[in-house]
Amino acid sequence: MSDQDLELLEGTVSSIIFQNEENGYTILRLDVRGEEVTVVGPMAGVAPGEYLSIRGRWTRHPTYGPQMKAEVVDRRLPQSMKEIFHYLSSGAIKGVGKTIARLIIEEFGENALTVIEEDPEQLTKIKGITKKRARQIGEVFRQQMGTRRLMEFLSEHRLPLELAALLRRAYGDVALEVVKANPYLLVNGEFEVEFSQADALALSLGVGRSDPLRLEAGLIFELTHNNYSNGHTFLPRHKLVDATSTLLQVSGELLEDCLETLVSRGETECEQVAGQEAVYLPALYEAESYIARRILEMSQAELLPPEGLSGLIRRIEEEQRISYASQQREAVELAANRQVMLLTGGPGTGKTTCLRGVLALFEMMGLDTALAAPTGRAAKRLGELCNTDASTIHRLLETGFDPRSGKLIFTRNSYDPLKTDAVIVDETSMVDVPLMAALLDALRDDCRLVLVGDPDQLPSVGPGSLFADLIRSGAVPTVRLTEIFRQAAQSAIIRNAHLINHGQIPDLRHNEGDFFCLARREPESVVDTVVDLCRRRLPERMGIPADQIQVLSPTRRRGTGTRALNQAIQQALNPPLEGKGERRFGDWVFRTGDRVMQVRNNYDILWREEGGTDSGMGMFNGDIGVIRSIEKEVITVDIDGKVVEYSPDMLGELEPAFAVTVHKAQGSEYRAVILAALEGAPILMTRGVLYTAVTRARELFIVVGDPAAVAGMVANNRQTRRYSGLRARLTEE
């Protein structure tokens, strides 16, 4: 939306209803020519008495009615005696109440604010104000003015106003000067400003197109973007230079010189690896190198198996009423005498049986074992399969605040390692390089590690192809399960998953058992069919309630993407009703009863146990819950028994989850899965995406769409190459 499309409001702040000091999110009442209007948005430090010029758009709160969502805010200091008194008496300045405010006005009149900012010691003329108190009042006001000027700067350059609070928290009183000196700092992950915006700001402030500041920022941006958006741990030097040259429209020679400077300062690492002159960010270089060293050390360690191992395995078989196949027995035996091992295989090959066996063996050996998975839903599923507690890797490692960096870190590390004797990680294909490095750093030198997963599923969202690299290296003891057991082979889901994985198109004409294809060739028809399946057909005919059905799509946009599907399913399953809480945020209307997903890691969000006394911190990308209530400005969500309260400024972390992308569904299992497969970019309509979607279903899988699109996905074995040095390091070291 352009500024021309935004509506204008001008008036004086009459009262502050709510203000979050952490991020500046504010709800206020604005007096517009005698009419009180509610305004919401990031307006750090705004106080009663201020005159605001606001550009934004109208929204409707289900409880509080119409309100203006501010997008551009211009602030003017109070000017008249009445405005200044209103401002000073509002409590905006600590230590100044109505009585002191009146005395200040009487003494200094319309110059009161100038005196407070520039010469606060003059306030000692007023009875009861000491020099110390005067200086304190002046300091508070100068801080407010710093925030004001920062917001004016952001507004002038059409940058998000919520940056003001983040920048003040990072750089204090000199935040504006820091940004002016180096606008490219805004591209930092914490601020999330697009590089093009930061670059335009820098150029407008006089930074030259060939300025080393600009060139170095471009190189770091390209490297970071390709690491964390495209999954690479490094970029070949020539690709990095070429990409940055295109981005900045400058010569490669200039960039080569800047890259050498970055290397000399330790801001990048450059070395020959995997046949490439590889350029790394230091953190990923250290993580990848550390994983290779630690895994090799653990792989080469042979442990004495317990006495009577064969007898222990027979006992496990008796207790679990199973008889191991040769590969399964091999896996349990390997776990007994190796410090680290990989267990891999497709659906129906008995990974869970092996996992339970390894866990039982470790218990018989007296080992304290921790079970973990990359996501909350994967951890919950792992715990249910093994009938014991399991946690996310993030929670296993625990988070804490680092006062030196001002960031949250894992508190379990080499200085304070985990107390467990063994760790079993499921869904390891989802684990990226930084997380695995953190886990290895938290293991005692003698701790055992079992990594379980399916390398044919989609790779991790974060950098690296960790699990696939570990397997392909041949350097780590591995058991690959290949036998599909008879009971599993009866499932069309499992049979078809293996067909897809081998590049064969399943029979989509003869629907049978637990695998169905409903041919639809128009987006509207696909959406209507998916809605009908969720609302009526599966609950009524198959006894599967809507909350146990997960709709998937390869894509977010287009006619059958998650955006369109979520809107349609929400309208069908959870329509608006009088008295039902609602809250609009961006393109979404959140409603009590909605299924929602946490879409980014938030280590410091608080949760409490439903109906219990337990509490903790942290919600993670992919966690799914249900909105229990929407009261005032707070949305309360139940995420697997953990109750979380989302304030308005946190709603960017939530998305509807009636339908999610296949990538977001990794690590989860659902009673029934419906896949909308009609159209999408070739990079998304791949064999790996289809295979991952099918393997999410436990009882029923239905694909709704064009059989030709499904066939195209099977044929498209496109796997985006990820630049990773881990495999090479494991084989070369």
Side-chain angles (χ1 to χ4, degrees), residues 9 29 62 154 255 261 318 332 348 453 582 600 618 654 723:
L9 276 184
R29 300 287 285 172
L154 295 173
L255 292 167
T261 301
E318 291 171 1
V332 180
E582 282 190 2
R600 66 183 68 164
L654 284 182
Y723 292 108

Side-chain angles (χ1 to χ4, degrees), residues 296-588:
L296 281 174
E297 290 171 0
M298 296 173 73
S299 297
Q300 292 161 6
E302 292 193 29
L303 308 176
L304 285 174
E307 279 190 39
L309 177 59
S310 296
L312 293 176
I313 293 176
R314 283 196 300 273
R315 182 176 153 193
I316 294 169
E317 288 178 310
E318 291 171 1
E319 291 178 353
Q320 298 186 2
R321 298 179 180 179
I322 55 172
S323 179
Y324 289 134
S326 59
Q327 291 176 338
Q328 294 176 316
R329 182 177 296 274
E330 181 190 354
V332 180
E333 289 176 347
L334 191 64
N337 55 46
R338 303 305 291 261
Q339 189 178 1
V340 62
M341 66 165 288
L342 311 177
L343 176 62
T344 180
T349 57
K351 288 198 304 292
T352 300
T353 299
C354 289
L355 199 156
R356 288 175 179 149
V358 171
L359 179 61
L361 178 64
F362 285 173
E363 288 176 353
M364 289 177 179
M365 294 169 62
L367 302 179
D368 181 15
T369 305
L371 297 181
T375 67
R377 293 190 70 85
K380 184 180 179 183
R381 174 173 163 263
L382 177 61
E384 290 169 350
L385 291 172
C386 295
N387 196 31
T388 188
D389 291 334
S391 73
T392 63
I393 300 172
H394 294 84
R395 290 200 177 101
L396 181 68
L397 298 178
E398 301 175 21
T399 55
F401 183 76
D402 181 8
R404 291 173 298 178
S405 66
K407 297 180 179 178
L408 287 158
I409 58 170
F410 293 125
T411 59
R412 294 294 184 179
N413 50 43
S414 56
Y415 300 103
D416 185 16
L418 296 166
K419 301 297 191 289
T420 55
D421 304 306
V423 175
I424 298 174
V425 179
D426 197 17
E427 299 288 353
T428 309
S429 63
M430 298 178 64
V431 179
D432 61 23
V433 162
L435 186 57
M436 179 54 69
L439 175 62
L440 290 171
D441 189 45
L443 301 183
R444 300 198 318 260
D445 290 343
D446 61 347
C447 186
R448 299 167 186 255
L449 179 64
V450 179
L451 302 176
V452 185
D454 182 353
D456 295 316
Q457 289 188 28
L458 297 172
S460 61
V461 175
S465 306
L466 181 122
F467 195 54
D469 282 349
L470 292 175
I471 292 171
R472 291 168 187 161
S473 73
V476 189
T478 302
V479 174
R480 188 187 298 269
L481 303 175
T482 57
E483 181 184 351
I484 303 173
F485 291 93
R486 185 173 59 186
Q487 185 175 356
Q490 295 173 358
S491 165
I493 291 174
I494 290 175
R495 292 200 308 275
N496 287 329
H498 285 276
L499 286 174
I500 291 165
N501 200 31
H502 290 94
Q504 300 175 46
I505 302 171
D507 187 351
L508 303 176
R509 296 167 300 175
H510 299 96
N511 293 322
E512 57 174 320
D514 55 6
F515 190 103
F516 296 85
C517 177
L518 303 181
R520 305 289 189 272
R521 292 175 175 80
E522 297 297 327
E524 296 80 7
S525 180
V526 171
V527 173
D528 289 346
T529 301
V530 169
V531 168
D532 191 44
L533 286 166
C534 294
R535 179 178 56 190
R536 184 181 63 85
R537 292 168 67 174
L538 294 190
E540 293 179 6
R541 297 183 188 179
M542 309 237 5
I544 303 176
D547 63 359
Q548 296 180 31
I549 303 167
Q550 184 60 61
V551 177
L552 304 180
S553 174
T555 181
R556 293 174 62 87
R557 304 191 183 277
R558 303 197 182 197
T560 57
T562 57
R563 184 176 295 276
L565 288 165
N566 269 311
Q567 290 173 344
I569 298 171
Q570 183 196 46
Q571 184 61 32
L573 299 185
N574 194 30
L577 290 173
E578 188 175 349
K580 182 182 289 186
E582 282 190 2
R583 180 78 165 78
R584 178 173 286 281
F585 183 83
D587 295 333
W588 303 116

Side-chain angles (χ1 to χ4, degrees), residues 230 305 641:
N230 297 332

